[in-house]
PDB file of all heavy atoms in Angstrom:
ATOM      1  N   THR A 615     -45.062 -55.971  49.938  1.00 92.00           N
ATOM      2  CA  THR A 615     -45.686 -57.209  50.409  1.00 92.00           C
ATOM      3  C   THR A 615     -44.674 -58.060  51.171  1.00 92.00           C
ATOM      4  O   THR A 615     -43.463 -57.887  51.061  1.00 92.00           O
ATOM      5  CB  THR A 615     -46.259 -58.007  49.234  1.00 92.00           C
ATOM      6  OG1 THR A 615     -45.234 -58.197  48.243  1.00 92.00           O
ATOM      7  CG2 THR A 615     -47.422 -57.266  48.588  1.00 92.00           C
ATOM      8  N   SER A 616     -45.209 -59.004  51.951  1.00 90.00           N
ATOM      9  CA  SER A 616     -44.393 -59.860  52.812  1.00 90.00           C
ATOM     10  C   SER A 616     -45.157 -61.152  53.050  1.00 90.00           C
ATOM     11  O   SER A 616     -46.331 -61.264  52.666  1.00 90.00           O
ATOM     12  CB  SER A 616     -44.124 -59.146  54.142  1.00 90.00           C
ATOM     13  OG  SER A 616     -45.330 -58.968  54.858  1.00 90.00           O
ATOM     14  N   PRO A 617     -44.547 -62.152  53.698  1.00 89.00           N
ATOM     15  CA  PRO A 617     -45.287 -63.400  53.933  1.00 89.00           C
ATOM     16  C   PRO A 617     -46.579 -63.209  54.715  1.00 89.00           C
ATOM     17  O   PRO A 617     -47.550 -63.939  54.503  1.00 89.00           O
ATOM     18  CB  PRO A 617     -44.270 -64.243  54.722  1.00 89.00           C
ATOM     19  CG  PRO A 617     -42.948 -63.767  54.235  1.00 89.00           C
ATOM     20  CD  PRO A 617     -43.115 -62.290  54.039  1.00 89.00           C
ATOM     21  N   LEU A 618     -46.640 -62.229  55.631  1.00 89.00           N
ATOM     22  CA  LEU A 618     -47.881 -61.992  56.373  1.00 89.00           C
ATOM     23  C   LEU A 618     -48.929 -61.294  55.519  1.00 89.00           C
ATOM     24  O   LEU A 618     -50.138 -61.441  55.759  1.00 89.00           O
ATOM     25  CB  LEU A 618     -47.599 -61.158  57.622  1.00 89.00           C
ATOM     26  CG  LEU A 618     -46.900 -61.885  58.772  1.00 89.00           C
ATOM     27  CD1 LEU A 618     -46.647 -60.933  59.927  1.00 89.00           C
ATOM     28  CD2 LEU A 618     -47.724 -63.085  59.240  1.00 89.00           C
ATOM     29  N   GLU A 619     -48.516 -60.506  54.556  1.00 90.00           N
ATOM     30  CA  GLU A 619     -49.425 -59.819  53.616  1.00 90.00           C
ATOM     31  C   GLU A 619     -48.859 -60.006  52.208  1.00 90.00           C
ATOM     32  O   GLU A 619     -48.292 -59.094  51.609  1.00 90.00           O
ATOM     33  CB  GLU A 619     -49.560 -58.336  53.970  1.00 90.00           C
ATOM     34  CG  GLU A 619     -50.182 -58.061  55.319  1.00 90.00           C
ATOM     35  CD  GLU A 619     -51.661 -58.437  55.388  1.00 90.00           C
ATOM     36  OE1 GLU A 619     -52.263 -58.703  54.312  1.00 90.00           O
ATOM     37  OE2 GLU A 619     -52.211 -58.486  56.505  1.00 90.00           O
ATOM     38  N   PRO A 620     -49.012 -61.199  51.655  1.00 89.00           N
ATOM     39  CA  PRO A 620     -48.308 -61.527  50.401  1.00 89.00           C
ATOM     40  C   PRO A 620     -48.909 -60.908  49.146  1.00 89.00           C
ATOM     41  O   PRO A 620     -48.244 -60.877  48.106  1.00 89.00           O
ATOM     42  CB  PRO A 620     -48.411 -63.054  50.344  1.00 89.00           C
ATOM     43  CG  PRO A 620     -49.660 -63.375  51.119  1.00 89.00           C
ATOM     44  CD  PRO A 620     -49.715 -62.362  52.221  1.00 89.00           C
ATOM     45  N   ARG A 621     -50.127 -60.405  49.229  1.00 88.00           N
ATOM     46  CA  ARG A 621     -50.767 -59.876  48.028  1.00 88.00           C
ATOM     47  C   ARG A 621     -51.029 -58.392  48.178  1.00 88.00           C
ATOM     48  O   ARG A 621     -51.646 -57.952  49.153  1.00 88.00           O
ATOM     49  CB  ARG A 621     -52.096 -60.594  47.776  1.00 88.00           C
ATOM     50  CG  ARG A 621     -52.816 -60.083  46.536  1.00 88.00           C
ATOM     51  CD  ARG A 621     -54.226 -60.619  46.421  1.00 88.00           C
ATOM     52  NE  ARG A 621     -54.984 -59.844  45.446  1.00 88.00           N
ATOM     53  CZ  ARG A 621     -56.303 -59.700  45.476  1.00 88.00           C
ATOM     54  NH1 ARG A 621     -56.999 -60.275  46.436  1.00 88.00           N
ATOM     55  NH2 ARG A 621     -56.923 -58.987  44.561  1.00 88.00           N
ATOM     56  N   ASP A 622     -50.549 -57.615  47.204  1.00 89.00           N
ATOM     57  CA  ASP A 622     -50.909 -56.203  47.187  1.00 89.00           C
ATOM     58  C   ASP A 622     -52.343 -56.103  46.695  1.00 89.00           C
ATOM     59  O   ASP A 622     -52.735 -56.772  45.741  1.00 89.00           O
ATOM     60  CB  ASP A 622     -49.979 -55.426  46.259  1.00 89.00           C
ATOM     61  CG  ASP A 622     -50.032 -53.926  46.508  1.00 89.00           C
ATOM     62  OD1 ASP A 622     -50.944 -53.498  47.230  1.00 89.00           O
ATOM     63  OD2 ASP A 622     -49.190 -53.204  45.971  1.00 89.00           O
ATOM     64  N   LEU A 623     -53.140 -55.258  47.332  1.00 85.00           N
ATOM     65  CA  LEU A 623     -54.563 -55.184  47.015  1.00 85.00           C
ATOM     66  C   LEU A 623     -54.866 -54.212  45.883  1.00 85.00           C
ATOM     67  O   LEU A 623     -56.025 -54.034  45.517  1.00 85.00           O
ATOM     68  CB  LEU A 623     -55.351 -54.803  48.269  1.00 85.00           C
ATOM     69  CG  LEU A 623     -55.272 -55.840  49.391  1.00 85.00           C
ATOM     70  CD1 LEU A 623     -56.014 -55.355  50.615  1.00 85.00           C
ATOM     71  CD2 LEU A 623     -55.806 -57.191  48.934  1.00 85.00           C
ATOM     72  N   VAL A 624     -53.839 -53.565  45.346  1.00 84.00           N
ATOM     73  CA  VAL A 624     -54.003 -52.791  44.116  1.00 84.00           C
ATOM     74  C   VAL A 624     -53.053 -53.389  43.089  1.00 84.00           C
ATOM     75  O   VAL A 624     -51.858 -53.515  43.331  1.00 84.00           O
ATOM     76  CB  VAL A 624     -53.717 -51.282  44.325  1.00 84.00           C
ATOM     77  CG1 VAL A 624     -54.793 -50.673  45.185  1.00 84.00           C
ATOM     78  CG2 VAL A 624     -52.371 -51.037  44.953  1.00 84.00           C
ATOM     79  N   GLU A 625     -53.581 -53.795  41.985  1.00 74.00           N
ATOM     80  CA  GLU A 625     -52.769 -54.467  40.983  1.00 74.00           C
ATOM     81  C   GLU A 625     -53.402 -54.304  39.611  1.00 74.00           C
ATOM     82  O   GLU A 625     -54.597 -54.003  39.478  1.00 74.00           O
ATOM     83  CB  GLU A 625     -52.628 -55.949  41.317  1.00 74.00           C
ATOM     84  CG  GLU A 625     -53.949 -56.652  41.552  1.00 74.00           C
ATOM     85  CD  GLU A 625     -53.800 -58.028  42.199  1.00 74.00           C
ATOM     86  OE1 GLU A 625     -52.718 -58.332  42.727  1.00 74.00           O
ATOM     87  OE2 GLU A 625     -54.772 -58.785  42.166  1.00 74.00           O
ATOM     88  N   SER A 626     -52.575 -54.476  38.590  1.00 67.00           N
ATOM     89  CA  SER A 626     -53.068 -54.332  37.218  1.00 67.00           C
ATOM     90  C   SER A 626     -54.066 -55.441  36.888  1.00 67.00           C
ATOM     91  O   SER A 626     -53.998 -56.550  37.426  1.00 67.00           O
ATOM     92  CB  SER A 626     -51.900 -54.383  36.236  1.00 67.00           C
ATOM     93  OG  SER A 626     -50.995 -53.336  36.477  1.00 67.00           O
ATOM     94  N   ARG A 627     -54.983 -55.126  36.001  1.00 67.00           N
ATOM     95  CA  ARG A 627     -55.946 -56.122  35.560  1.00 67.00           C
ATOM     96  C   ARG A 627     -55.278 -57.110  34.613  1.00 67.00           C
ATOM     97  O   ARG A 627     -54.304 -56.771  33.935  1.00 67.00           O
ATOM     98  CB  ARG A 627     -57.113 -55.437  34.857  1.00 67.00           C
ATOM     99  CG  ARG A 627     -57.927 -54.531  35.775  1.00 67.00           C
ATOM    100  CD  ARG A 627     -59.018 -53.822  35.009  1.00 67.00           C
ATOM    101  NE  ARG A 627     -59.780 -52.941  35.891  1.00 67.00           N
ATOM    102  CZ  ARG A 627     -60.765 -52.158  35.496  1.00 67.00           C
ATOM    103  NH1 ARG A 627     -61.126 -52.148  34.212  1.00 67.00           N
ATOM    104  NH2 ARG A 627     -61.394 -51.391  36.358  1.00 67.00           N
ATOM    105  N   PRO A 628     -55.800 -58.337  34.549  1.00 68.00           N
ATOM    106  CA  PRO A 628     -55.213 -59.318  33.630  1.00 68.00           C
ATOM    107  C   PRO A 628     -55.188 -58.775  32.199  1.00 68.00           C
ATOM    108  O   PRO A 628     -56.169 -58.234  31.697  1.00 68.00           O
ATOM    109  CB  PRO A 628     -56.163 -60.509  33.755  1.00 68.00           C
ATOM    110  CG  PRO A 628     -56.761 -60.374  35.122  1.00 68.00           C
ATOM    111  CD  PRO A 628     -56.893 -58.899  35.359  1.00 68.00           C
ATOM    112  N   GLY A 629     -54.031 -58.921  31.556  1.00 65.00           N
ATOM    113  CA  GLY A 629     -53.874 -58.442  30.183  1.00 65.00           C
ATOM    114  C   GLY A 629     -53.296 -57.056  30.067  1.00 65.00           C
ATOM    115  O   GLY A 629     -52.768 -56.680  29.017  1.00 65.00           O
ATOM    116  N   ASP A 630     -53.398 -56.244  31.153  1.00 69.00           N
ATOM    117  CA  ASP A 630     -52.806 -54.907  31.119  1.00 69.00           C
ATOM    118  C   ASP A 630     -51.319 -54.991  31.431  1.00 69.00           C
ATOM    119  O   ASP A 630     -50.871 -55.902  32.143  1.00 69.00           O
ATOM    120  CB  ASP A 630     -53.482 -53.995  32.154  1.00 69.00           C
ATOM    121  CG  ASP A 630     -54.906 -53.649  31.768  1.00 69.00           C
ATOM    122  OD1 ASP A 630     -55.265 -53.871  30.597  1.00 69.00           O
ATOM    123  OD2 ASP A 630     -55.648 -53.157  32.640  1.00 69.00           O
ATOM    124  N   PRO A 631     -50.521 -54.031  30.915  1.00 73.00           N
ATOM    125  CA  PRO A 631     -49.093 -54.023  31.246  1.00 73.00           C
ATOM    126  C   PRO A 631     -48.895 -53.870  32.744  1.00 73.00           C
ATOM    127  O   PRO A 631     -49.592 -53.102  33.404  1.00 73.00           O
ATOM    128  CB  PRO A 631     -48.568 -52.795  30.485  1.00 73.00           C
ATOM    129  CG  PRO A 631     -49.588 -52.517  29.439  1.00 73.00           C
ATOM    130  CD  PRO A 631     -50.900 -52.954  29.993  1.00 73.00           C
ATOM    131  N   ARG A 632     -47.958 -54.602  33.306  1.00 76.00           N
ATOM    132  CA  ARG A 632     -47.698 -54.519  34.738  1.00 76.00           C
ATOM    133  C   ARG A 632     -46.882 -53.265  35.038  1.00 76.00           C
ATOM    134  O   ARG A 632     -46.043 -52.836  34.256  1.00 76.00           O
ATOM    135  CB  ARG A 632     -46.977 -55.769  35.237  1.00 76.00           C
ATOM    136  CG  ARG A 632     -47.816 -57.039  35.035  1.00 76.00           C
ATOM    137  CD  ARG A 632     -47.151 -58.249  35.667  1.00 76.00           C
ATOM    138  NE  ARG A 632     -47.193 -58.212  37.117  1.00 76.00           N
ATOM    139  CZ  ARG A 632     -48.260 -58.570  37.829  1.00 76.00           C
ATOM    140  NH1 ARG A 632     -49.371 -58.947  37.226  1.00 76.00           N
ATOM    141  NH2 ARG A 632     -48.215 -58.544  39.144  1.00 76.00           N
ATOM    142  N   CYS A 633     -47.134 -52.696  36.200  1.00 84.00           N
ATOM    143  CA  CYS A 633     -46.422 -51.494  36.628  1.00 84.00           C
ATOM    144  C   CYS A 633     -45.050 -51.856  37.181  1.00 84.00           C
ATOM    145  O   CYS A 633     -44.845 -52.951  37.719  1.00 84.00           O
ATOM    146  CB  CYS A 633     -47.206 -50.756  37.714  1.00 84.00           C
ATOM    147  SG  CYS A 633     -48.796 -50.125  37.197  1.00 84.00           S
ATOM    148  N   VAL A 634     -44.124 -50.916  37.083  1.00 72.00           N
ATOM    149  CA  VAL A 634     -42.872 -51.048  37.810  1.00 72.00           C
ATOM    150  C   VAL A 634     -43.208 -51.039  39.300  1.00 72.00           C
ATOM    151  O   VAL A 634     -43.977 -50.211  39.769  1.00 72.00           O
ATOM    152  CB  VAL A 634     -41.915 -49.889  37.475  1.00 72.00           C
ATOM    153  CG1 VAL A 634     -40.674 -49.954  38.363  1.00 72.00           C
ATOM    154  CG2 VAL A 634     -41.531 -49.924  36.011  1.00 72.00           C
ATOM    155  N   GLY A 635     -42.661 -51.991  40.057  1.00 67.00           N
ATOM    156  CA  GLY A 635     -42.994 -52.108  41.468  1.00 67.00           C
ATOM    157  C   GLY A 635     -44.086 -53.124  41.731  1.00 67.00           C
ATOM    158  O   GLY A 635     -44.455 -53.343  42.885  1.00 67.00           O
ATOM    159  N   GLU A 636     -44.594 -53.754  40.693  1.00 75.00           N
ATOM    160  CA  GLU A 636     -45.644 -54.769  40.830  1.00 75.00           C
ATOM    161  C   GLU A 636     -45.007 -56.131  40.616  1.00 75.00           C
ATOM    162  O   GLU A 636     -44.461 -56.415  39.558  1.00 75.00           O
ATOM    163  CB  GLU A 636     -46.739 -54.509  39.795  1.00 75.00           C
ATOM    164  CG  GLU A 636     -48.011 -55.278  40.036  1.00 75.00           C
ATOM    165  CD  GLU A 636     -49.128 -54.811  39.111  1.00 75.00           C
ATOM    166  OE1 GLU A 636     -48.870 -53.996  38.206  1.00 75.00           O
ATOM    167  OE2 GLU A 636     -50.252 -55.274  39.303  1.00 75.00           O
ATOM    168  N   HIS A 637     -45.045 -56.982  41.654  1.00 69.00           N
ATOM    169  CA  HIS A 637     -44.315 -58.242  41.615  1.00 69.00           C
ATOM    170  C   HIS A 637     -45.246 -59.399  41.943  1.00 69.00           C
ATOM    171  O   HIS A 637     -46.197 -59.256  42.709  1.00 69.00           O
ATOM    172  CB  HIS A 637     -43.151 -58.222  42.613  1.00 69.00           C
ATOM    173  CG  HIS A 637     -42.206 -57.070  42.405  1.00 69.00           C
ATOM    174  ND1 HIS A 637     -41.246 -57.069  41.430  1.00 69.00           N
ATOM    175  CD2 HIS A 637     -42.107 -55.878  43.044  1.00 69.00           C
ATOM    176  CE1 HIS A 637     -40.568 -55.923  41.486  1.00 69.00           C
ATOM    177  NE2 HIS A 637     -41.076 -55.184  42.450  1.00 69.00           N
ATOM    178  N   GLU A 638     -44.957 -60.554  41.338  1.00 65.00           N
ATOM    179  CA  GLU A 638     -45.751 -61.747  41.612  1.00 65.00           C
ATOM    180  C   GLU A 638     -45.506 -62.262  43.028  1.00 65.00           C
ATOM    181  O   GLU A 638     -46.424 -62.661  43.723  1.00 65.00           O
ATOM    182  CB  GLU A 638     -45.416 -62.846  40.596  1.00 65.00           C
ATOM    183  CG  GLU A 638     -45.788 -62.497  39.168  1.00 65.00           C
ATOM    184  CD  GLU A 638     -47.291 -62.525  38.940  1.00 65.00           C
ATOM    185  OE1 GLU A 638     -48.025 -62.981  39.835  1.00 65.00           O
ATOM    186  OE2 GLU A 638     -47.731 -62.072  37.863  1.00 65.00           O
ATOM    187  N   ALA A 639     -44.237 -62.269  43.464  1.00 68.00           N
ATOM    188  CA  ALA A 639     -43.883 -62.803  44.766  1.00 68.00           C
ATOM    189  C   ALA A 639     -43.808 -61.696  45.802  1.00 68.00           C
ATOM    190  O   ALA A 639     -43.716 -60.514  45.470  1.00 68.00           O
ATOM    191  CB  ALA A 639     -42.538 -63.527  44.680  1.00 68.00           C
ATOM    192  N   ALA A 640     -43.842 -62.089  47.091  1.00 74.00           N
ATOM    193  CA  ALA A 640     -43.689 -61.108  48.161  1.00 74.00           C
ATOM    194  C   ALA A 640     -42.349 -60.405  48.026  1.00 74.00           C
ATOM    195  O   ALA A 640     -41.315 -61.026  47.743  1.00 74.00           O
ATOM    196  CB  ALA A 640     -43.801 -61.796  49.512  1.00 74.00           C
ATOM    197  N   GLU A 641     -42.364 -59.082  48.241  1.00 82.00           N
ATOM    198  CA  GLU A 641     -41.169 -58.284  48.011  1.00 82.00           C
ATOM    199  C   GLU A 641     -40.225 -58.286  49.211  1.00 82.00           C
ATOM    200  O   GLU A 641     -39.055 -57.927  49.092  1.00 82.00           O
ATOM    201  CB  GLU A 641     -41.598 -56.854  47.650  1.00 82.00           C
ATOM    202  CG  GLU A 641     -42.328 -56.835  46.315  1.00 82.00           C
ATOM    203  CD  GLU A 641     -43.498 -55.867  46.254  1.00 82.00           C
ATOM    204  OE1 GLU A 641     -44.097 -55.588  47.305  1.00 82.00           O
ATOM    205  OE2 GLU A 641     -43.807 -55.412  45.144  1.00 82.00           O
ATOM    206  N   ASP A 642     -40.727 -58.641  50.365  1.00 85.00           N
ATOM    207  CA  ASP A 642     -39.907 -58.822  51.557  1.00 85.00           C
ATOM    208  C   ASP A 642     -40.119 -60.249  52.037  1.00 85.00           C
ATOM    209  O   ASP A 642     -41.257 -60.722  52.107  1.00 85.00           O
ATOM    210  CB  ASP A 642     -40.333 -57.817  52.634  1.00 85.00           C
ATOM    211  CG  ASP A 642     -39.780 -58.162  54.013  1.00 85.00           C
ATOM    212  OD1 ASP A 642     -38.600 -58.536  54.077  1.00 85.00           O
ATOM    213  OD2 ASP A 642     -40.532 -58.060  54.999  1.00 85.00           O
ATOM    214  N   ASP A 643     -39.041 -60.943  52.362  1.00 82.00           N
ATOM    215  CA  ASP A 643     -39.194 -62.326  52.818  1.00 82.00           C
ATOM    216  C   ASP A 643     -39.570 -62.427  54.298  1.00 82.00           C
ATOM    217  O   ASP A 643     -39.627 -63.519  54.851  1.00 82.00           O
ATOM    218  CB  ASP A 643     -37.912 -63.118  52.554  1.00 82.00           C
ATOM    219  CG  ASP A 643     -36.730 -62.620  53.390  1.00 82.00           C
ATOM    220  OD1 ASP A 643     -36.906 -61.636  54.148  1.00 82.00           O
ATOM    221  OD2 ASP A 643     -35.638 -63.205  53.271  1.00 82.00           O
ATOM    222  N   GLY A 644     -39.866 -61.303  54.900  1.00 86.00           N
ATOM    223  CA  GLY A 644     -40.265 -61.268  56.298  1.00 86.00           C
ATOM    224  C   GLY A 644     -39.213 -60.649  57.195  1.00 86.00           C
ATOM    225  O   GLY A 644     -39.528 -60.200  58.312  1.00 86.00           O
ATOM    226  N   THR A 645     -37.976 -60.576  56.715  1.00 85.00           N
ATOM    227  CA  THR A 645     -36.906 -60.010  57.536  1.00 85.00           C
ATOM    228  C   THR A 645     -37.129 -58.532  57.801  1.00 85.00           C
ATOM    229  O   THR A 645     -36.921 -58.038  58.923  1.00 85.00           O
ATOM    230  CB  THR A 645     -35.548 -60.208  56.836  1.00 85.00           C
ATOM    231  OG1 THR A 645     -35.404 -61.577  56.476  1.00 85.00           O
ATOM    232  CG2 THR A 645     -34.404 -59.797  57.742  1.00 85.00           C
ATOM    233  N   LEU A 646     -37.549 -57.813  56.777  1.00 91.00           N
ATOM    234  CA  LEU A 646     -37.772 -56.374  56.919  1.00 91.00           C
ATOM    235  C   LEU A 646     -38.879 -56.093  57.924  1.00 91.00           C
ATOM    236  O   LEU A 646     -38.736 -55.241  58.811  1.00 91.00           O
ATOM    237  CB  LEU A 646     -38.113 -55.787  55.542  1.00 91.00           C
ATOM    238  CG  LEU A 646     -38.293 -54.289  55.440  1.00 91.00           C
ATOM    239  CD1 LEU A 646     -37.001 -53.568  55.768  1.00 91.00           C
ATOM    240  CD2 LEU A 646     -38.757 -53.920  54.042  1.00 91.00           C
ATOM    241  N   VAL A 647     -39.993 -56.796  57.802  1.00 92.00           N
ATOM    242  CA  VAL A 647     -41.111 -56.597  58.734  1.00 92.00           C
ATOM    243  C   VAL A 647     -40.701 -56.960  60.152  1.00 92.00           C
ATOM    244  O   VAL A 647     -41.010 -56.243  61.118  1.00 92.00           O
ATOM    245  CB  VAL A 647     -42.338 -57.420  58.284  1.00 92.00           C
ATOM    246  CG1 VAL A 647     -43.382 -57.496  59.398  1.00 92.00           C
ATOM    247  CG2 VAL A 647     -42.952 -56.810  57.038  1.00 92.00           C
ATOM    248  N   ARG A 648     -39.963 -58.063  60.309  1.00 90.00           N
ATOM    249  CA  ARG A 648     -39.533 -58.444  61.658  1.00 90.00           C
ATOM    250  C   ARG A 648     -38.609 -57.398  62.262  1.00 90.00           C
ATOM    251  O   ARG A 648     -38.672 -57.093  63.463  1.00 90.00           O
ATOM    252  CB  ARG A 648     -38.850 -59.813  61.625  1.00 90.00           C
ATOM    253  CG  ARG A 648     -39.808 -60.985  61.451  1.00 90.00           C
ATOM    254  CD  ARG A 648     -39.136 -62.315  61.765  1.00 90.00           C
ATOM    255  NE  ARG A 648     -38.015 -62.581  60.867  1.00 90.00           N
ATOM    256  CZ  ARG A 648     -38.129 -63.180  59.672  1.00 90.00           C
ATOM    257  NH1 ARG A 648     -39.323 -63.545  59.243  1.00 90.00           N
ATOM    258  NH2 ARG A 648     -37.067 -63.392  58.930  1.00 90.00           N
ATOM    259  N   ALA A 649     -37.721 -56.840  61.446  1.00 91.00           N
ATOM    260  CA  ALA A 649     -36.784 -55.835  61.946  1.00 91.00           C
ATOM    261  C   ALA A 649     -37.514 -54.577  62.408  1.00 91.00           C
ATOM    262  O   ALA A 649     -37.244 -54.043  63.495  1.00 91.00           O
ATOM    263  CB  ALA A 649     -35.763 -55.496  60.862  1.00 91.00           C
ATOM    264  N   VAL A 650     -38.438 -54.076  61.594  1.00 94.00           N
ATOM    265  CA  VAL A 650     -39.172 -52.873  61.981  1.00 94.00           C
ATOM    266  C   VAL A 650     -40.037 -53.163  63.204  1.00 94.00           C
ATOM    267  O   VAL A 650     -40.181 -52.310  64.091  1.00 94.00           O
ATOM    268  CB  VAL A 650     -40.003 -52.341  60.798  1.00 94.00           C
ATOM    269  CG1 VAL A 650     -40.921 -51.212  61.246  1.00 94.00           C
ATOM    270  CG2 VAL A 650     -39.088 -51.854  59.683  1.00 94.00           C
TER     271      VAL A 650
END
Side-chain angles (χ1 to χ4, degrees):
T615 53
S616 65
L618 286 178
E619 297 292 348
R621 180 190 165 207
D622 197 348
L623 296 177
V624 291
E625 53 194 15
S626 299
R627 295 177 181 178
D630 290 345
R632 298 186 71 81
C633 296
V634 174
E636 193 171 7
H637 304 281
E638 296 288 351
E641 294 142 332
D642 165 43
D643 66 358
T645 308
L646 184 64
V647 166
R648 286 194 298 273
V650 172

